[in-house]
Amino acid sequence: MAQSKKHILIVDDEADVRDVLALALTAKGYRVTGAETPHEGVRLVKSDPPNLVISDLQMEDSDGLEMIEQIKTISPDMPVILLTGMIFDAETVRNTISKKVSCYLEKTSSLQRVTQEAQRLLGDLKSA
Amino acid sequence: MKERLQIAQRLTTNEPRAARQMAALEPLLAKRIDFTRGIMTARQAEGLEGAKKSLLSDSGGESLHEIQKAISKFQEDQKVLLRERDKASYLQAETTKWTVLTGIGLNFLLLGFTAWLVKDDISARNRAARAMEEANAQLETKVQERTAELAAANEVLRAENLERQWGSKSLEHQLRYSNLIINSINDLVFVLAKSLMITRVNPAVSHATGMGTQELITTKLTSFMRPRDGAVDPSGPEPCAQALKEGRDLQNFPVILVDKQGKTKSYSMNLYPLRDRDKVVGGVVTLHADGNGGGK
């Protein structure tokens, strides 16, 4: 039964962030798994392919963009949300980051915005 | 005859009129019996002639007529009495019949009334049962609605709670990240109030001055930093305070820093006013080690 739910992988080195985000997404009906490091994230993408990846940018053993590039070699069409505390200017986002990820969100974005973006990328957002 | 007369008298004991008639008949019968005995005595004594003579001299014929008359009267009275009794009996039977019929009628009425009461009671109970069912259904609907409302409210509260947690983590992350950036800079960074009172420093400041963060906070920057000799007119206003007052930057301004041991070191200073809604509320000073001095 659990396997029929869409699977979201959260990669963030902060357990609190992973937990809160997982609670919000589980409440929306998704199956959520968490990875503390990009290395663990890539391993999970191979062993239990998710429908969506939500990743932090700066982590201890590698950065999120590197991991996203590895994920894209495994599954080129997999949607990815980059969730970061770093604030980029609009031009940087438009010219570089948006070409590598499906969606870029600052960590100061509301949780509702994050879940809505996840639902949108998974085709689950009902149009108003 | 006498015996039969006694039986008749006993039978009429309770009827005074008949008893009187019986009493009046008794002497007549006695007289007739005596007359008959006289004939029989004459028959025995004088044979048939004697008996015939006695019969012809019937002085009892009159009594026989009286007896017959008394008996006829008695019979007539008894017939009247019988008719009266029969009538009374008929009336009693009629009364009994009507009493019974009335009782039966009343019983049917009572039965009907009882049936109506039972039916009314059953109807009332059915109405009460239906009303209770409706009330229960309404109650159940209300409970379901209330439960749904509570579940929705709970969901909203849960989402709000998660949103608050997320906001808190986000702010915490941003603050930590900002601190990380400031603390990783090798230049000395001071955050000042407009009065040049220090409100925040990075670790490089403590390292350069030999003073702890707590010691530096609320200390005036000018208490251990001054413009390099010749950089400004000593009789003029303090350059940092003046720049903040005018809301302008200072770039590469030569200063001398005196540490806790009294040793001096030259730095190149930059000052940036801190603006909050277009109002200068303080400034940020960065000092970069610069042995050559120079600047404005």
Side-chain angles (χ1 to χ4, degrees):
Chain A
M1 191 69 178
Q3 293 299 320
S4 65
K5 292 180 177 177
K6 289 179 182 172
H7 178 204
I8 297 176
L9 172 65
I10 301 170
V11 187
D12 197 307
D13 55 354
E14 289 184 64
D16 289 344
V17 172
R18 287 199 309 273
D19 291 345
V20 175
L21 198 50
L23 280 172
L25 292 167
T26 304
K28 297 289 180 189
Y30 298 114
R31 181 167 67 91
V32 180
T33 51
E36 191 176 358
T37 63
H39 177 74
E40 190 185 350
V42 172
R43 186 181 61 76
L44 280 169
V45 167
K46 289 176 182 170
S47 63
D48 184 10
N51 301 95
L52 171 72
V53 175
I54 299 176
S55 176
D56 189 12
L57 178 60
Q58 290 182 307
M59 286 174 278
E60 202 172 333
D61 66 345
S62 170
D63 76 48
L65 285 173
E66 272 183 17
M67 181 197 72
I68 289 163
E69 283 171 7
Q70 287 182 57
I71 289 172
K72 290 289 182 183
T73 61
I74 301 164
S75 179
D77 296 327
M78 184 173 295
V80 177
I81 294 176
L82 186 66
L83 191 65
T84 175
M86 287 184 72
I87 298 171
F88 297 103
D89 59 82
E91 195 177 339
T92 306
V93 172
R94 190 169 53 248
N95 294 336
T96 57
I97 294 172
S98 64
K99 290 177 181 172
K100 297 185 177 188
V101 299
S102 314
C103 175
Y104 160 75
L105 288 174
E106 292 162 7
K107 274 190 177 171
T108 48
S109 303
S110 70
L111 189 58
Q112 188 184 23
R113 172 88 196 284
V114 178
T115 54
Q116 278 180 348
E117 283 300 321
Q119 287 176 299
R120 184 182 65 79
L121 290 170
L122 290 169
D124 296 331
L125 192 64
K126 291 169 189 167
S127 57
Chain B
M1 177 65 83
K2 195 176 179 179
E3 189 182 348
R4 289 182 180 176
L5 185 64
Q6 284 174 347
I7 291 168
Q9 282 176 335
R10 279 201 297 274
L11 287 172
T12 56
T13 303
N14 295 328
E15 294 176 33
R17 182 183 171 87
R20 278 196 305 275
Q21 286 175 331
M22 279 295 152
L25 191 60
E26 190 177 2
L28 292 173
L29 286 172
K31 193 176 173 182
R32 188 64 186 170
I33 289 167
D34 289 344
F35 173 70
T36 305
R37 279 187 186 141
I39 291 171
M40 288 176 70
T41 305
R43 168 79 171 80
Q44 285 172 350
E46 299 173 21
L48 286 172
E49 283 300 320
K52 193 182 283 183
K53 199 186 291 179
S54 292
L55 280 170
L56 291 172
S57 64
D58 184 10
S59 58
E62 191 181 349
S63 64
L64 185 61
H65 180 70
E66 286 177 4
I67 288 167
Q68 284 173 339
K69 190 179 171 184
I71 288 171
S72 294
K73 177 69 176 165
F74 181 75
Q75 283 177 333
E76 193 64 31
D77 287 350
Q78 287 301 309
K79 282 178 183 173
V80 169
L81 187 62
L82 278 174
R83 278 197 299 275
E84 285 174 354
R85 284 182 177 176
D86 187 47
K87 191 177 177 182
S89 175
Y90 174 76
L91 286 173
Q92 197 169 6
E94 284 293 303
T95 304
T96 304
K97 184 180 84 180
W98 283 111
T99 303
V100 169
L101 287 174
T102 306
I104 290 169
L106 282 174
N107 279 339
F108 275 113
L109 277 175
L110 280 173
L111 190 63
F113 182 63
T114 306
W116 179 81
L117 280 178
V118 169
K119 189 182 171 189
D120 186 59
D121 184 56
I122 289 170
S123 298
R125 283 169 190 263
N126 285 338
R127 282 197 300 275
R130 278 197 298 275
M132 188 168 280
E133 279 175 12
E134 285 172 11
N136 282 338
Q138 285 176 355
L139 186 65
E140 197 172 337
T141 305
K142 282 182 182 173
V143 167
Q144 284 174 350
E145 286 173 357
R146 188 69 186 135
T147 304
E149 284 172 10
L150 286 173
N154 189 46
E155 182 58 30
V156 169
L157 282 175
R158 197 191 61 78
E160 285 176 357
N161 185 40
L162 278 177
E163 196 69 67
R164 273 194 293 276
Q165 284 184 53
W166 178 258
S168 170
K169 297 296 166 198
S170 169
L171 285 175
E172 194 181 305
H173 183 273
Q174 288 300 108
L175 185 62
R176 199 171 61 248
Y177 195 67
S178 299
N179 283 335
L180 191 68
I181 293 168
I182 293 170
N183 293 344
S184 64
I185 296 172
N186 286 328
D187 288 355
L188 283 63
V189 179
F190 299 83
V191 181
L192 307 175
K194 216 170 173 180
S195 63
L196 304 187
M197 194 81 76
I198 298 168
T199 58
R200 187 174 171 182
V201 295
N202 70 345
V205 174
S206 294
H207 182 72
T209 60
M211 291 185 272
T213 305
Q214 295 302 318
E215 202 176 350
L216 287 162
I217 300 297
T218 71
T219 302
K220 277 202 166 186
L221 178 66
T222 49
S223 66
F224 55 88
M225 189 195 81
R226 57 181 165 77
R228 199 179 301 165
D229 293 342
V232 292
D233 179 3
S235 61
E238 204 289 319
C240 291
Q242 186 65 24
L244 287 181
K245 189 178 175 184
E246 294 169 5
R248 60 181 169 82
D249 295 356
L250 283 179
Q251 300 282 339
N252 299 318
F253 191 86
V255 293
I256 300 292
L257 191 72
V258 184
D259 70 9
K260 202 171 182 178
Q261 279 74 42
K263 291 179 183 173
T264 60
K265 192 172 180 182
S266 293
Y267 286 90
S268 175
M269 181 188 78
N270 291 321
L271 169 70
Y272 308 99
L274 274 178
R275 286 188 170 82
D276 185 13
R277 296 187 182 90
D278 295 332
K279 187 178 170 186
V280 176
V281 294
V284 177
V285 168
T286 61
L287 299 184
H288 181 70
D290 178 14
N292 297 325
K296 291 179 185 174

